[in-house]
């Protein structure tokens, strides 16, 4: 007997992806394809040397570098970058780095309409989404706008060989979280569910291999491929409780983005998966386990991730504010979320109740 396919709407995002070891060399070609001749190269201060190198590859098509990108795209940094783009008469940006740098490219695109080429060097997945974010006075605003979706994304696993192992692990779990929530999203669809399952499978293989040998190009390629798939899921669906909580914990309590995702994910999975059986089945297949929350908690800790929200700076006194913000804002979730249930979930994460 076959089960009827639930109804769905699938709105494909236009995405051009160039993937492969050494593909950074393709950026001049990507710029040319888009008709861009005056690119501003963006990076964080930490990745300045990489920005220099990208600028060198672009030759005359690089008109400057802005290397002050920062976590959660501070509004004053975005304003300075827009000014730099205008003063350089740039006709586009090349954002090379993690979610913070790609977020800066999106902020420039939102203000000026300039197209962005992205070269991701973490597994956060921002390059695959039309979601922008800007932080001002301790509050992060986010929105969706097709104009900020990068026109071309160049994934070069060689650029991730130096991503520190702890960041590789938590950034990888950040990507897995996108796939988990895409699998039970109200706007899930068959193609996205396939991508989500395969993305999780790819990362589940790659992350232990990276911990064993951070310089394995095979492991780095598998992880980046998984990150691409999971990022595409994030871009195509509506996220639920997990992403809402991470947004609050990052925006209001300044907890580190990827660590927060990693610590929280097993607990939200334990809460939501009983109400999302198809998602649970897909994750069981991808992770080769019968107990998805236990597997996520155990493997993340075995790979060196933090064990609890207390480990990354949250306190018991902060919980009421998180609960009040989370229940005060409407969002999709496969299970209704009450204040009591949320407090109990957060108390468990605070103390690492699922940690082995
Ligand atoms: P990040 O971009 O803040 O990077 C952290 C640090 O690591 C930076 O100093 C960076 O320069 C450095 N780094 C990055 N790649 C490196 C590499 N390969 N080798 C050595 N150092 C490297 O961290 P992130 O986790 O990628 O991004 C987090 C930010 O992205 C958050 O602000 C989050 O909200 C945002 N984000 C947005 C979306 C979206 O769709 N809009 C999706 C995911 C994340």
């Amino acid at each position: 007997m076959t089960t009827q396919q639930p109804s769905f709407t699938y709105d494909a995002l236009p995405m051009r992806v160039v993937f492969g070891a050494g593909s950074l060399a393709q950026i001049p070609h990507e710029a040319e394809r888009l008709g861009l001749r005056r690119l501003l190269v963006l990076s964080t201060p930490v990745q300045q040397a990489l920005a220099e190198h990208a600028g060198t590859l672009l030759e005359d098509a690089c008109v400057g570098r802005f290397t002050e990108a920062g976590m959660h795209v501070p509004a004053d940094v975005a304003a300075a970058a827009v000014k730099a783009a205008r003063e350089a008469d740039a006709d586009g940006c090349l954002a090379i780095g993690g979610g913070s740098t790609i977020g800066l490219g999106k902020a420039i695109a939102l203000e000026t309409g300039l197209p962005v080429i992205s070269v991701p060097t973490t597994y956060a997945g921002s390059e695959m989404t039309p979601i922008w974010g800007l932080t001002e006075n301790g509050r992060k605003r986010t929105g969706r706008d097709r104009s900020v979706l990068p026109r071309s994304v160049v994934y070069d696993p060689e650029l991730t060989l130096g991503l520190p192992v702890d960041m590789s692990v938590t950034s990888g779990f950040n990507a897995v979280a996108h796939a988990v929530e895409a699998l039970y999203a109200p706007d899930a669809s068959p193609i996205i569910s396939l991508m989500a399952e395969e993305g999780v499978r790819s990362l589940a293989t790659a992350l232990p291999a990276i911990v064993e040998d951070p310089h394995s190009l095979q492991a780095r390629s598998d992880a980046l491929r998984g990150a691409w798939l999971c990022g595409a899921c994030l871009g195509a669906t509506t996220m639920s409780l997990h992403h809402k909580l991470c947004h609050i914990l990052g925006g209001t309590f300044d907890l580190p983005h990827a660590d927060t995702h990693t610590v929280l994910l097993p607990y939200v999975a334990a809460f939501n998966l009983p109400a999302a059986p198809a998602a649970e089945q897909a994750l069981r297949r991808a992770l080769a386990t019968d107990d998805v929350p236990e597997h996520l908690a155990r493997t993340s800790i075995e790979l060196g991730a933090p064990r609890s929200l207390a480990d990354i700076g949250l306190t018991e006194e902060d919980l009421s504010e998180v609960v009040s913000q989370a229940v005060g804002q409407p969002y999709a979730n496969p299970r209704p979320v009450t204040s009591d249930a949320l407090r109990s979930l957060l108390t468990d994460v605070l103390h690492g109740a699922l940690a082995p």
Side-chain angles (χ1 to χ4, degrees):
M1 200 175 74
T2 55
T3 348
Q4 201 197 330
Q5 168 67 51
S7 311
F8 66 88
T9 302
Y10 173 58
D11 193 0
L13 289 173
M15 47 177 73
R16 177 176 165 84
V17 168
V18 177
F19 190 104
S23 57
L24 182 65
Q26 299 296 316
I27 56 172
H29 174 67
E30 291 305 299
E32 204 180 306
R33 266 195 81 257
L34 292 165
L36 303 177
R37 296 200 175 83
R38 302 184 56 79
L39 288 157
L40 181 69
V41 176
L42 311 173
S43 78
T44 62
V46 170
Q47 291 182 291
Q48 210 162 349
L50 187 58
E52 283 293 324
H53 179 53
T56 308
L57 289 174
L58 287 167
E59 298 181 348
D60 292 347
C62 172
V63 290
R65 294 170 190 83
F66 182 92
T67 57
E68 296 304 319
M71 190 68 113
H72 300 311
V73 195
D76 56 337
V77 174
V82 166
K83 186 164 175 269
R86 287 191 170 131
E87 280 174 4
D89 194 20
D91 61 4
C93 295
L94 180 117
I96 186 159
S100 297
T101 304
I102 292 167
L104 181 63
K106 289 173 165 181
I108 298 174
L110 190 68
E111 177 75 22
T112 63
L114 291 181
V116 179
I117 300 174
S118 284
V119 185
T121 62
T122 68
Y123 309 133
S126 177
E127 66 282 356
M128 282 291 122
T129 84
I131 306 164
W132 56 265
L134 275 172
T135 303
E136 198 165 18
N137 304 324
R139 286 229 163 236
K140 185 170 178 182
R141 287 185 295 129
T142 59
R144 276 182 185 256
D145 191 316
R146 284 275 179 118
S147 69
V148 309
L149 186 73
R151 304 288 173 89
S152 170
V153 180
V154 176
Y155 283 107
D156 184 345
E158 285 181 3
L159 303 181
T160 62
L161 289 171
L163 184 64
V165 170
D166 56 347
M167 276 182 59
S168 303
V169 169
T170 54
S171 191
F173 276 93
N174 183 184
V176 169
H178 306 330
V180 169
E181 295 230 296
L183 282 164
Y184 54 59
D187 42 7
S189 60
I191 190 165
I192 291 302
S193 298
L194 287 170
M195 290 167 86
E197 184 174 332
E198 184 55 21
V200 173
R201 188 173 288 118
S202 228
L203 281 154
T205 312
L207 296 181
I210 288 172
V211 171
E212 199 169 306
D213 177 8
H215 296 288
S216 159
L217 196 53
Q218 182 63 55
R220 291 295 188 176
S221 297
D222 290 344
L224 202 56
R225 172 178 172 281
W228 160 52
L229 292 166
C230 294
C233 295
L234 172 69
T237 56
T238 305
M239 295 287 110
S240 297
L241 176 65
H242 175 82
H243 282 73
K244 171 58 67 186
L245 290 175
C246 289
H247 183 97
I248 296 167
L249 291 165
T252 305
F253 299 96
D254 209 24
L255 297 196
H257 181 78
D259 286 1
T260 307
H261 270 275
T262 308
V263 169
L264 195 61
L265 184 62
Y267 299 84
V268 179
F271 182 77
N272 275 340
L273 292 181
E280 181 160 39
Q281 286 306 325
L283 291 168
R284 284 181 176 185
R285 286 191 297 270
L287 296 169
T289 179
D290 287 336
D291 188 342
V292 173
E294 184 278 338
H295 183 91
L296 291 169
R298 182 175 44 75
T299 52
S300 62
I301 291 166
E302 279 171 5
L303 295 175
R307 305 168 69 86
S308 67
L309 283 179
D311 273 4
I312 55 173
L314 202 75
T315 66
E316 194 93 40
E317 292 72 55
D318 298 329
L319 293 188
S320 298
E321 176 63 20
V322 184
V323 171
S324 121
Q325 284 196 32
V327 295
Q329 299 163 22
Y331 52 89
N333 202 55
R335 256 184 88 176
V337 183
T338 62
S339 297
D340 285 350
L342 195 51
R343 178 169 277 280
S344 153
L345 184 156
L346 286 165
T347 305
D348 283 350
V349 202
L350 185 71
H351 301 299
L354 287 176

